[in-house]
Amino acid sequence: MTDDIGILQHIQSLRGSLKPSLRTVADAVLARPAEARSMNIKELASSCGVSEASISRFVRGIGLPNYRAFQLRMVEEGASGTPTRGQTPDDGLIYENIGRNDTAATILTKVAHRNADVARACLSTLDPVVLEKAARMVEKAKTLYFFAAGLSALAAENALLRFARIGKPAIFHRDRNNQILLAGSLQPGSLAIAISDSGRTNQTVTALYAAKAAGVPTIAITAFAEAPLAKHADLTLITPAGYQPAGDEPLYYESMVSKFGQLLAIDVLYSLVAVHDYEASTAAVRRGNQFIQASRTARRQNDTD
């Protein structure tokens, strides 16, 4: 954990990758930071309904050596006046911790810092060992099939572009019913990759379940390791959560913050696959570049005619 990221934002980003008992602690700290600052380890454990050992594991899980260090970071952040969420009940409905009193300058700062926080948090949530396994699964597959809804579809579409560059066929249909129908009829040699921040988007979960039932390997990209989506996956890539957890997921939340983590995960996975067969990948990119350049040249000529 670095000093330039607030501890509450750090906990928020890692929350989805924590085990259930530690996630309970994270939720309590995020929901009541002022109370957590004043509690000793025994009091915090009691308020969360967990053991002191769980509190210690939580502290180490967020990158701090001991509870004392955790308390100091909490107190320092509280003294600095760093806002942990909106100042009124409606704040954060528009975007993250944006409220009615924010200006262009504060909104720019908050959004930029939040995205930077997510990028840093990916270093903790995305496991290099799991990424290596995922890359091998992609390499073995003849065709990649992506399943996603809402803004998570942006990550799927990014994946189509990335993998096409190195000659790996990839398919994604935005229509959710088409996704489910397609998933249920996948053939050997396919790989199903489902993307959902919450891991509870019904159509995406159903599509991955159908792909699993069809007998093909499955990968989930989600912020919550215990989510239904992960239960249907042979492998799960954990991305930082894109919203402030205060119990359940918001009824409707499409912040681009979580999608930035998904896009980063796709870019890392694509790059890793490409590096594993570097010569073939670079050759494919060069071939594609020739046609892209020719298309641009022709377009410029048409514009001048």
Side-chain angles (χ1 to χ4, degrees):
M1 178 178 177
T2 58
D3 291 334
D4 56 347
I5 177 175
I7 185 170
L8 293 172
Q9 290 181 326
H10 182 66
I11 293 171
Q12 173 185 316
S13 297
L14 295 181
R15 188 258 186 192
S17 64
L18 298 174
K19 293 182 178 179
S21 61
L22 305 189
R23 200 178 305 151
T24 297
V25 180
D27 287 348
V29 171
L30 289 168
R32 301 181 299 279
E35 294 179 23
R37 288 188 188 99
S38 62
M39 292 180 179
N40 58 38
I41 188 170
K42 183 177 181 179
E43 291 169 337
L44 183 57
S46 177
S47 69
C48 296
V50 300
S51 66
E52 292 181 34
S54 291
I55 300 296
S56 295
R57 286 195 296 272
F58 165 75
V59 169
R60 292 194 297 272
I62 63 173
L64 295 172
N66 51 52
Y67 190 75
R68 177 60 176 165
F70 167 75
Q71 274 193 317
L72 287 174
R73 289 297 297 269
M74 289 289 290
V75 170
E76 288 171 359
E77 186 161 311
S80 69
T82 302
T84 62
R85 55 177 63 234
Q87 301 300 312
T88 73
D90 286 341
D91 286 359
L93 289 179
I94 294 175
Y95 192 101
E96 288 287 328
N97 59 342
I98 302 301
R100 67 173 68 248
N101 295 320
D102 275 299
T103 64
T106 62
I107 290 174
L108 173 62
T109 299
K110 287 182 179 180
V111 173
H113 285 184
R114 185 70 181 94
N115 278 280
D117 292 343
V118 169
R120 283 190 291 264
C122 281
L123 296 173
S124 299
T125 63
L126 288 171
D127 186 339
V129 174
V130 179
L131 282 165
E132 282 284 355
K133 292 179 180 178
R136 297 303 180 189
M137 292 172 69
V138 170
E139 291 161 22
K140 291 179 181 178
K142 294 179 181 178
T143 308
L144 310 179
Y145 290 86
F146 288 87
F147 305 103
L151 286 181
S152 292
L154 296 176
E157 290 173 340
N158 176 54
L160 299 189
L161 176 63
R162 294 298 190 189
F163 287 107
R165 293 282 281 160
I166 57 174
K168 175 65 70 172
I171 295 172
F172 172 65
H173 290 278
R174 268 198 173 260
D175 184 272
R176 298 183 183 188
N177 290 328
N178 285 350
Q179 289 185 37
I180 295 173
L181 291 172
L182 185 64
S185 60
L186 294 184
Q187 300 298 311
S190 304
L191 172 64
I193 303 176
I195 308 170
S196 169
D197 184 31
S198 69
R200 297 195 295 272
T201 304
N202 183 61
Q203 291 90 338
T204 305
V205 173
T206 301
L208 196 65
Y209 172 78
K212 184 80 169 177
V216 304
T218 54
I219 294 176
I221 300 177
T222 180
F224 300 93
E226 303 299 322
L229 189 70
K231 298 184 187 303
H232 302 312
D234 297 315
L235 204 66
T236 300
L237 297 176
I238 302 297
T239 55
Y243 57 86
Q244 290 239 15
D248 294 330
E249 180 190 16
L251 292 176
Y252 183 78
Y253 200 94
E254 283 289 9
S255 168
M256 275 300 296
V257 169
S258 63
K259 315 315 167 190
F260 184 68
Q262 294 170 354
L263 290 167
L264 190 149
I266 290 295
D267 282 358
V268 171
L269 182 60
Y270 149 77
S271 299
L272 187 56
V273 171
V275 166
H276 281 175
D277 195 352
Y278 192 81
E279 297 303 325
S281 296
T282 53
V285 171
R286 290 192 187 98
R287 287 195 301 271
N289 283 348
Q290 294 176 4
F291 294 103
I292 292 173
Q293 185 60 45
S295 175
R296 289 175 177 172
T297 300
R299 187 179 65 216
R300 285 196 294 268
Q301 290 176 345
N302 290 334
D303 289 343
T304 58
D305 288 344

